[in-house]
Amino acid sequence: MNISELFNLNLYNNTMKTYLNLIGAAILITLWGCGNNGGSDKKGAMSNAKAAEKVYVAPGEYDEFYAFMSGGFSGQLSVYGLPSGRLLKVIPVFSQDAEKGYGYNEETIPMLNTSYGFVPWDDAHHPELSQTDGVPDGRWIFINGNNTPRIARIDLTTFETTEIVEIPNSGGNHSSPFITENSEYVVAGTRFSVPFPQKDVAISSYKENFKGSISYIRADEPGKMDVAFQILVPGFDYDLAHSGKGKSHGWTFFTTYNSEESYTLKEVNASQNDKDFIAAVNWKKAEEYLAQGKAKEMPADYMHNYYDEETHMATSTKKKSVKVLIPSECPGMIYYLPTPKSPHGVDVDPTGEYIVGNGKLSADLTVHSFDKMIKAIENEAFDTEIDGIPVLKFEDVVIGTVQSGGLGPLHTEFDGKGNAYTTFFISSEVVKWKLGTWEVIDRAPCYYSVGHLMIPGGDSRKPWGKYLVALNKITKDRYLPTGPEMNHSAQLYDISGEKMELLLDFPTIGEPHYAQAIAADVVMKNSKKIYPIEHNKHPHAIKKESEAKVVREGNVVRIYMTSIRSHFNPDNIEGIKVGDKVYFHLTNLEQDWDTPHGLSVMGARNAELLVMPGQTETLLWEPQRPGIYPFYCTDFCSALHQEMQGYIRVSEAGANVPIKWSLGED
Ligand code: RUQ
Ligand code: CUA
């Protein structure tokens, strides 16, 4: 049975309905925009003084929470303090970052290797903190690369990206990384279905050739991230996910849209079916099938990149195959839960019982019950089956509908006090509602067009609650204009009372899709201050100034250099020739918190190095013309920072100027 038979649709009517919906949405957006742009309550905040007091963090004081916001098309992850909204750091993940030399220095270039070669950018959507017993534990944070499918691990002792694994057989890694309760796995579902394995076929052969994939990636051991198994699924679009918790631990829920399996004019053609699905994956069952040898080993091409903190170096490993489970051969592993109107977000409440699906083309939210789902499975309350995946009867899994009064629901988070908060893109608001009774308690406007929202711990078993951040897609008149593009805006609400209260607006970096926050004390107690120099196992590290040297190996020249306030050793170098490949291996001998030194060389077609205390980093320079080249420290490190500089002499290709290096010789 195919999908359109399944829903027995009148296609013409549905197309019209979709158009009308979209037109209605457009009108609403326009009206909403006008009202807010010109309205007298543009600020939307409680009394200024009261709000200011709630977000004020006195000079020298710390924020209560770390907030991690994805950078979207910046490819990075930014760290803010809450409630102040102060930017603490931008962590480079999928994009080269000249500020830190990430993806430019020799040590981190391998982090951006993929099966396509070096890819210096991605679109990063969903940060997800590691968990123990369903509670964020502050060890790591993961984030997906949507465009060239990848997942990264960031170590929260150093706030550095330490691992990236590519996801094979995926056409866009959106429903990711959404962790399981004890960080066993991070998940990945393909947003765009593609041939599995990839091959050259007509796009119009979609229904026959295109497939979806759902991947489970081992996450609990640094250095060992790998695709544990993939599940081959029908060619829908797998949009978002959340793993179960408590009673639903062992399951993950993925939203799908485009169950129509259309491949063109999707805005209309993928909006035909009245219901798409939430895919419920029993990953414990999948593990059993894996152990029984049910998986097919299929060829795959993907990279695993790992940054070793002792060698201060990343290495890339090519992976050649992947284990694939087929639903028709693995009964009980995956089910489809019909869910209205192209659902986007899927969120599991702290008890693990309620699975909230947000149909982005509807006004209402659909809440499924985990207990009902298990019962329906036991009773085989199936409507039909698609490629071996039973479709459960809607009435047998749904437990409630939230009649929100809003339009375009996207994402839901929880406060741990029995309340849920859902964003509405089209009606530009957050709606607070009660789990179990489904009644709406409060609503607050967003400025403007909110996407995700985030409550500290709000997708975990134990939310901290207290604050809610709305991550808005459109900024318009909220800040001083900065030309045609405005930074996206975040808004902080106090949710400690019955009513949500808007406290603060602040700009963000790139486009934050999702965000996560965690109590500051969980993370800060583990924060590293230095890399102990005695643990430095970088092959080109030197541990004291007396070991500084310059070594020629053919046309490769290695400069073993140290930095300490306020000089480089050596600072005068001669004997370099045009055509040489010059490697500056700079070891920062400092053993003091927050004392990096930078290194830049005139004309180097590269970024600077920014070397942390105890770390070694390498800059490659290929001098093009004879002359004298200054180099200097880029990070204002001491009163004599301006003096932290040196010279390199570059001679003609055939010259016989001998290699020579020195510090303090006249
Ligand atoms: S998405 S605005 Cu990339 Cu998470 Cu929903
Ligand atoms: Cu070292 Cu400035």
Side-chain angles (χ1 to χ4, degrees):
M1 170 177 248
N2 70 32
I3 298 278
S4 51
E5 280 162 12
L6 173 65
F7 291 106
N8 193 16
L9 290 172
N10 178 324
L11 290 182
Y12 175 75
N13 275 345
N14 255 283
T15 308
M16 287 309 292
K17 242 187 344 206
T18 304
Y19 270 126
L20 290 175
N21 271 341
L22 294 174
I23 291 165
I27 292 170
L28 235 151
I29 288 173
T30 317
L31 288 176
W32 193 265
C34 292
N36 282 311
N37 290 350
S40 55
D41 70 332
K42 181 190 152 215
K43 284 191 180 127
M46 66 170 86
S47 103
N48 285 350
K50 224 174 112 201
E53 204 178 293
K54 290 196 175 187
V55 300
Y56 182 67
V57 177
E61 302 273 302
Y62 293 150
D63 275 291
E64 191 180 345
F65 293 99
Y66 284 98
F68 299 89
M69 305 203 186
S70 71
F73 44 72
S74 86
Q76 318 295 49
L77 178 68
S78 44
V79 189
Y80 290 82
L82 294 183
S84 73
R86 295 185 294 197
L87 175 66
L88 304 177
K89 186 168 192 172
V90 177
I91 303 172
V93 184
F94 295 113
S95 297
Q96 277 179 302
D97 181 0
E99 178 193 335
K100 299 179 172 66
Y102 179 86
Y104 290 96
N105 60 51
E106 296 300 300
E107 286 74 10
T108 53
I109 283 173
M111 291 302 284
L112 303 179
N113 280 343
T114 73
S115 61
Y116 302 91
F118 180 76
V119 177
W121 170 85
D122 215 306
D123 182 19
H125 285 214
H126 307 117
E128 180 84 348
L129 287 158
S130 57
Q131 298 186 354
T132 303
D133 284 333
V135 179
D137 58 21
R139 287 182 291 168
W140 313 299
I141 189 160
F142 298 87
I143 190 165
N144 64 321
N146 188 43
N147 183 57
T148 304
R150 288 177 275 181
I151 297 177
R153 179 203 306 272
I154 290 107
D155 184 326
L156 290 182
T157 65
T158 58
F159 286 61
E160 303 270 0
T161 304
T162 52
E163 197 165 5
I164 295 181
V165 67
E166 193 180 351
I167 315 296
N169 299 318
S170 171
N173 183 30
H174 195 257
S175 43
S176 180
F178 307 109
I179 202 153
T180 58
E181 207 171 71
N182 287 301
S183 306
E184 297 94 337
Y185 298 104
V186 285
V187 303
T190 188
R191 170 146 165 231
F192 311 116
S193 284
V194 288
F196 182 143
Q198 274 286 16
K199 59 181 171 190
D200 170 15
V201 295
I203 296 169
S204 59
S205 71
Y206 189 107
K207 285 205 169 143
E208 165 198 339
N209 282 320
F210 289 40
K211 289 283 175 218
S213 68
I214 287 174
S215 311
Y216 280 76
I217 293 94
R218 201 82 224 180
D220 47 4
E221 243 189 290
K224 302 259 168 70
M225 271 177 100
D226 197 3
V227 181
F229 59 91
Q230 295 194 303
I231 302 173
L232 184 71
V233 284
F236 309 156
D237 293 37
Y238 295 80
D239 201 15
L240 279 148
H242 261 103
S243 292
K245 42 182 89 103
K247 63 164 100 167
S248 53
H249 177 57
W251 291 77
T252 309
F253 305 93
F254 294 82
T255 46
T256 71
Y257 63 101
N258 193 28
S259 55
E260 296 83 351
E261 300 189 83
S262 74
Y263 50 88
T264 183
L265 195 62
K266 279 198 178 178
E267 62 174 318
V268 175
N269 295 333
S271 306
Q272 300 298 315
N273 292 343
D274 192 49
K275 295 190 180 69
D276 296 275
F277 303 110
I278 287 174
V281 176
N282 183 342
W283 58 260
K284 295 240 167 161
K285 195 106 207 148
E287 283 180 334
E288 287 169 25
Y289 285 123
L290 203 64
Q292 291 163 22
K294 283 264 164 124
K296 287 193 179 29
E297 190 92 24
M298 287 176 65
D301 217 359
Y302 63 106
M303 284 291 198
H304 173 242
N305 310 323
Y306 179 59
Y307 182 87
D308 183 315
E309 211 185 276
E310 297 220 311
T311 60
H312 300 282
M313 262 179 23
T315 45
S316 294
T317 318
K318 218 174 168 50
K319 303 271 177 166
K320 285 278 169 210
S321 71
V322 72
K323 292 194 165 67
V324 180
L325 293 164
I326 316 279
S328 58
E329 297 165 8
C330 303
M333 180 176 67
I334 173 168
Y335 299 90
Y336 278 145
L337 283 53
T339 305
K341 298 280 172 215
S342 300
H344 183 57
V346 54
D347 299 283
V348 181
D349 88 300
T351 68
E353 161 66 3
Y354 298 124
I355 302 143
V356 184
N358 299 328
K360 61 184 182 281
L361 298 178
S362 86
D364 301 339
L365 312 178
T366 304
V367 187
H368 296 306
S369 151
F370 180 73
D371 289 344
K372 281 186 80 175
M373 182 191 88
I374 294 297
K375 212 169 270 152
I377 292 169
E378 282 165 10
N379 298 338
E380 303 195 351
F382 305 148
D383 256 337
T384 182
E385 218 178 80
I386 304 171
D387 292 355
I389 302 173
V391 177
L392 298 172
K393 283 190 192 305
F394 179 68
E395 320 72 60
D396 286 290
V397 290
V398 72
I399 191 161
T401 305
V402 182
Q403 265 138 24
S404 67
L407 248 188
L410 292 183
H411 298 282
T412 301
E413 292 259 291
F414 307 90
D415 64 3
K417 296 190 285 190
N419 302 305
Y421 302 73
T422 301
T423 52
F424 289 77
F425 178 82
I426 297 171
S427 53
S428 200
E429 58 184 334
V430 179
V431 171
K432 174 181 179 182
W433 52 276
K434 202 155 198 61
L435 288 160
T437 70
W438 325 122
E439 64 194 312
V440 170
I441 300 169
D442 188 26
R443 57 201 323 131
C446 298
Y447 305 93
Y448 307 95
S449 301
V450 59
H452 275 273
L453 77 168
M454 178 271 284
I455 291 171
D459 71 339
S460 76
R461 272 185 55 200
K462 290 209 184 116
W464 281 272
K466 192 158 181 180
Y467 299 111
L468 180 155
V469 178
L471 299 152
N472 304 320
K473 301 295 189 192
I474 295 169
T475 304
K476 297 268 192 213
D477 57 0
R478 295 302 280 181
Y479 315 126
L480 288 175
T482 52
E485 199 210 1
M486 302 284 287
N487 265 9
H488 285 223
S489 74
Q491 291 184 287
L492 181 77
Y493 298 81
D494 179 344
I495 56 163
S496 55
E498 176 88 351
K499 297 227 158 265
M500 294 175 270
E501 292 178 299
L502 177 58
L503 300 177
L504 181 72
D505 262 30
F506 58 99
T508 59
I509 289 174
E511 175 179 340
H513 286 249
Y514 193 34
Q516 293 262 281
I518 185 168
D521 54 351
V522 182
V523 172
M524 64 183 281
K525 60 172 190 279
N526 299 324
S527 197
K528 274 215 172 98
K529 297 193 162 62
I530 60 159
Y531 295 98
I533 189 84
E534 66 273 18
H535 295 167
N536 183 333
K537 298 207 175 83
H538 190 292
H540 300 293
I542 51 176
K543 305 287 175 77
K544 33 186 186 309
E545 287 202 81
S546 57
E547 293 169 5
K549 61 184 173 186
V550 180
V551 179
R552 176 177 283 286
E553 304 157 0
N555 73 335
V556 169
V557 178
R558 297 189 184 278
I559 302 172
Y560 296 82
M561 185 182 260
T562 60
S563 62
I564 195 147
R565 282 161 288 181
S566 300
H567 59 265
F568 293 105
N569 192 354
D571 70 353
N572 280 197
I573 298 162
E574 297 193 359
I576 309 297
K577 290 183 277 191
V578 172
D580 282 347
K581 272 179 180 288
V582 181
Y583 291 96
F584 290 85
H585 300 294
L586 176 61
T587 302
N588 183 0
L589 296 179
E590 303 281 356
Q591 291 287 275
D592 230 353
W593 191 18
D594 196 25
T595 55
H597 293 284
L599 173 69
S600 67
V601 182
M602 186 172 83
R605 292 186 291 187
N606 209 329
E608 60 161 358
L609 297 179
L610 189 69
V611 191
M612 298 305 127
Q615 198 179 36
T616 304
E617 280 187 359
T618 302
L619 178 84
L620 170 61
W621 177 49
E622 297 177 84
Q624 296 153 283
R625 303 197 292 262
I628 298 296
Y629 289 82
F631 59 89
Y632 71 97
C633 171
T634 50
D635 188 331
F636 207 109
C637 50
S638 71
L640 295 170
H641 155 80
Q642 289 297 84
E643 282 72 15
M644 192 163 175
Q645 56 177 268
Y647 288 112
I648 302 191
R649 174 181 171 191
V650 175
S651 308
E652 286 296 357
N656 52 10
V657 180
I659 290 275
K660 209 174 116 190
W661 68 91
S662 62
L663 169 73
E665 264 173 33
D666 278 317

